[in-house]
Amino acid sequence: MASLSTSSSPPSPTQQSEASEGSSERRLREAEDRLREAIEELQRRQRSARRIHLPCDHADESCVANAIGNLCQTFLLSYGVRAGIGILLRAFKLARGQSYSSLLDLKQLVSEKNLIVREEACRIGLLFGGFTGAYHALRCLLRKLRKKETPFNAILAGSLAGLSILALDDSNRRRTLALYLLARLAQCAYNSAKSKNKFHLWGSHWQHGDALLFALACAQVMYAFVMRPESLPKSYQDFIQKTGPVARPVYKAVRDCCRDSPVDVSSLSAYLSNKRASNFVKLEEFPLIIPCSIIHPDTNSCLAHNTNAASATFRKTFPLYFSLTFVPFVVLHLQKFTDAPVRTCWLAVKGAVRSTSFLSAFVGIFQGVICLHRKVASKDHKLVYWVAGGISALSVLLLEKKARRGELALYVLPRAGDSLWYILVNRHLLPDIKNAEVALFCLCMGGIMYYLEHEPDTMAPFLRGLIRRFLASRISNPAPPSNRSTSYTYLQALDAMKKPKLQDNQEAETSASEKYNLESIPGL
């Protein structure tokens, strides 16, 4: 009887309280689940409505004003970068002539006679500004016409806006830029396929695969410079010629020698007559090889010649690399420069010294391979210059940072492709299509804008940041959408409710009323 009475006794107040709390928590969880389902349904309806009436990302201004504003902003930014580089290079030139007082003379520093950058800066500004303005205008137009936002909008808008390349009047520069974007687009496509396990190149996991690609590109460029200089842009030819220590008549003699053509003895003799060394070998019209005494007539030592070539290259190219490092950073990141100007200058000097040292080593090694070949061989061959370019490019492993090697490879690769394109067209292996570089640029820009907006992780950080900075819009620099102010806040608050309870009982009791108080959620 005692056991029966014990088992049938009513529950204690403590048990009733626990049961009541458990029931309250259960009802609150059910209410949370229903609220979450209602919010998700509301968001689905909002997304469906936006597909029909898709708003633009510039709610505070019209589409025309947004496009014109972006065009002007990017034009001024591009113009400033090009003009700034020109002014800084002019300042280095004046300082090299020991005319330090002239740096304060604006007439000598920025006059049209001494600083002819206005037309080129305007063309570059029209290229980037025209693309930016046209891209934003076309995106808005496609939203209104198609009433939906799809990757096709970005591809079509980028392709049509790519016609801004016509602002450049030089077809060689347009082709070089188009090939550069083609290399970048191929990089994005490969990274996208690799991330989805659809495609994988053999050897892409190699630690120095970027250096290998750079070496192959440099091999083609140096071969083209020596054997087919007409296949390179005139400005690029002049840069390599000015950087290297060998004169044009000597390169022409080497080219004729490798082709078994008669050497222009009179031109070569006129060049050598101005040199102080007099122990030249007898010039022949059909030599087997051009000796070192003609390649570097100022010195008999190949080692001294190569050392002098490297040091001279450093002196000549440091101002250029410093300008290319310093000016874009100041213009594109003015706030960072004003916050820490000394650190910015130090980083620019450090980067310029590293890059200039790499280029100096490249020139020295290239000349060293040429001289070494003449020590061991009695007949010249055009492939020697291809091999010399590839070997000298390996200096990138010693002097450049890992992050920069891939950028250098993708910078030189279009130059090599440009040269190869010209050679194949010249040999009638590819058709010569007028303005083909314009069509290629437009297609590449369409692909680049697709990857920028829909798969940005496939792009190199340098290129992604550069395009976003010049594009100057909320499309490329997304901000939190305004439609998150209500339902998104609710979901965030509900997710916060799912966090584990605190270990401290006092804090748990204090937060319990807030945790299950729906009035604490904004908007409820």
Side-chain angles (χ1 to χ4, degrees):
M1 292 294 293
S3 61
L4 180 61
S5 62
T6 301
S7 61
S8 61
S9 61
S12 64
T14 303
Q15 294 175 341
Q16 290 179 348
S17 177
E18 293 178 353
S20 177
E21 290 181 359
S23 177
S24 299
E25 291 182 3
R26 184 172 60 256
R27 288 195 299 271
L28 283 172
R29 285 195 295 269
E30 292 175 355
E32 291 172 10
D33 294 338
R34 289 194 298 270
L35 179 60
R36 178 183 292 277
E37 292 175 358
I39 292 173
E40 291 176 350
E41 178 64 24
L42 176 62
Q43 289 183 336
R44 282 193 294 269
R45 292 181 180 180
Q46 289 176 346
R47 287 194 294 268
S48 177
R50 284 198 301 271
R51 292 191 185 98
I52 300 175
H53 304 287
L54 190 67
C56 293
D57 294 329
H58 46 84
D60 55 340
E61 58 184 358
S62 66
C63 297
V64 176
N66 177 67
I68 294 177
N70 279 296
L71 185 153
C72 295
Q73 178 180 348
T74 306
F75 176 87
L76 293 175
L77 191 65
S78 307
Y79 186 96
V81 170
R82 180 61 188 92
I85 291 175
I87 293 173
L88 194 56
L89 287 176
R90 174 63 180 168
F92 272 108
K93 185 177 181 180
L94 292 175
R96 185 183 297 171
Q98 304 299 321
S99 180
Y100 300 108
S101 60
S102 61
L103 295 176
L104 302 178
D105 186 359
L106 293 181
K107 187 174 182 180
Q108 295 189 51
L109 185 63
V110 296
S111 66
E112 285 296 326
K113 178 182 178 181
N114 300 314
L115 186 67
I116 307 175
V117 298
R118 184 172 59 185
E119 180 183 356
E120 184 179 356
C122 284
R123 289 187 180 277
I124 293 176
L126 288 174
L127 167 61
F128 290 101
F131 176 84
T132 302
Y135 180 75
H136 289 303
L138 289 168
R139 286 299 303 274
C140 294
L141 180 63
L142 289 173
R143 284 194 193 99
K144 297 182 184 305
L145 294 179
R146 304 189 70 223
K147 297 181 180 180
K148 58 182 178 180
E149 184 65 88
T150 63
F152 178 75
N153 289 8
I155 296 174
L156 183 58
S159 299
L160 294 178
L163 292 174
S164 61
I165 190 67
L166 294 173
L168 301 180
D169 60 342
D170 187 357
S171 61
N172 290 327
R173 295 182 63 187
R174 295 200 299 258
R175 184 168 63 247
T176 300
L177 191 55
L179 289 172
Y180 175 77
L181 285 179
L182 180 63
R184 290 295 188 174
L185 181 60
Q187 180 191 32
C188 294
Y190 173 72
N191 290 337
S192 176
K194 185 177 179 181
S195 64
K196 299 173 184 177
N197 294 323
K198 293 182 178 179
F199 183 72
H200 187 273
L201 280 177
W202 176 81
S204 61
H205 61 284
W206 291 352
Q207 182 180 1
H208 302 302
D210 46 8
L212 178 60
L213 179 62
F214 180 69
L216 293 174
C218 286
Q220 172 62 28
V221 167
M222 295 311 299
Y223 167 82
F225 173 73
V226 177
M227 302 306 303
R228 299 295 298 268
E230 70 279 3
S231 67
L232 294 175
K234 183 65 168 57
S235 59
Y236 204 53
Q237 291 182 48
D238 295 339
F239 173 75
I240 299 177
Q241 182 66 55
K242 183 179 178 181
T243 303
V246 180
R248 290 184 186 273
V250 177
Y251 279 125
K252 186 177 185 305
V254 169
R255 190 159 51 248
D256 293 336
C257 177
C258 292
R259 294 173 176 172
D260 295 328
S261 300
V263 173
D264 189 354
V265 177
S266 60
S267 175
L268 199 57
S269 299
Y271 162 71
L272 295 175
S273 63
N274 297 324
K275 301 300 176 181
R276 63 173 180 266
S278 58
N279 54 342
F280 303 131
V281 297
K282 183 180 178 180
L283 299 179
E284 300 178 3
E285 191 174 5
F286 292 94
L288 295 177
I289 192 170
I290 302 298
C292 290
S293 59
I294 296 179
I295 291 179
H296 47 86
D298 290 328
T299 176
N300 295 327
S301 172
C302 294
L303 181 60
H305 166 71
N306 298 331
T307 303
N308 294 336
S311 60
T313 299
F314 189 95
R315 292 192 302 270
K316 287 185 288 187
T317 57
F318 177 79
L320 174 63
Y321 276 107
F322 180 79
S323 303
L324 293 176
T325 304
F326 180 75
V327 174
F329 186 87
V330 172
V331 176
L332 300 178
H333 306 282
L334 184 59
Q335 184 62 42
K336 292 183 179 180
F337 173 72
T338 54
D339 293 341
V342 177
R343 183 174 183 273
T344 301
C345 293
W346 166 247
L347 292 177
V349 171
K350 184 179 178 181
V353 168
R354 183 190 291 270
S355 297
T356 308
S357 299
F358 151 69
L359 187 60
S360 302
F362 183 99
V363 173
I365 295 174
F366 183 81
Q367 295 299 325
V369 173
I370 300 304
C371 290
L372 180 62
H373 171 254
R374 277 149 177 76
K375 299 295 182 183
V376 299
S378 59
K379 183 175 175 57
D380 205 357
H381 196 280
K382 57 185 179 182
L383 289 181
V384 171
Y385 306 96
W386 194 94
V387 174
I391 293 176
S392 56
L394 296 179
S395 60
V396 74
L397 294 172
L398 302 176
L399 298 172
E400 279 290 0
K401 296 185 294 185
K402 174 68 175 177
R404 282 272 298 163
R405 296 173 193 168
E407 297 296 330
L408 285 172
L410 290 176
Y411 174 77
V412 180
L413 185 61
R415 310 277 182 174
D418 190 10
S419 168
L420 188 60
W421 183 342
Y422 179 91
I423 293 174
L424 293 177
V425 169
N426 186 257
R427 294 182 177 179
H428 304 288
L429 297 176
L430 284 179
D432 186 11
I433 304 175
K434 187 177 181 180
N435 294 326
E437 71 280 355
V438 177
L440 179 61
F441 181 85
C442 293
L443 293 176
C444 291
M445 282 309 305
I448 288 292
M449 297 313 299
Y450 163 77
Y451 284 109
L452 176 68
E453 296 201 16
H454 298 279
E455 298 184 40
D457 293 338
T458 62
M459 300 184 69
F462 169 77
L463 181 64
R464 183 172 65 243
L466 189 64
I467 296 179
R468 284 179 171 176
R469 181 65 183 88
F470 275 92
L471 204 59
S473 76
R474 284 173 290 180
I475 294 177
S476 58
N477 298 281
S482 58
N483 58 7
R484 290 185 175 184
S485 58
T486 55
S487 59
Y488 181 78
T489 306
Y490 298 156
L491 290 180
Q492 291 294 315
L494 290 175
D495 290 337
M497 292 179 181
K498 300 299 182 181
K499 294 181 179 179
K501 293 183 178 181
L502 300 175
Q503 297 294 329
D504 190 348
N505 292 333
Q506 184 177 0
E507 294 180 1
E509 292 176 0
T510 304
S511 61
S513 60
E514 297 178 359
K515 180 178 180 181
Y516 297 112
N517 183 12
L518 295 180
E519 294 178 357
S520 64
I521 303 176
L524 285 183

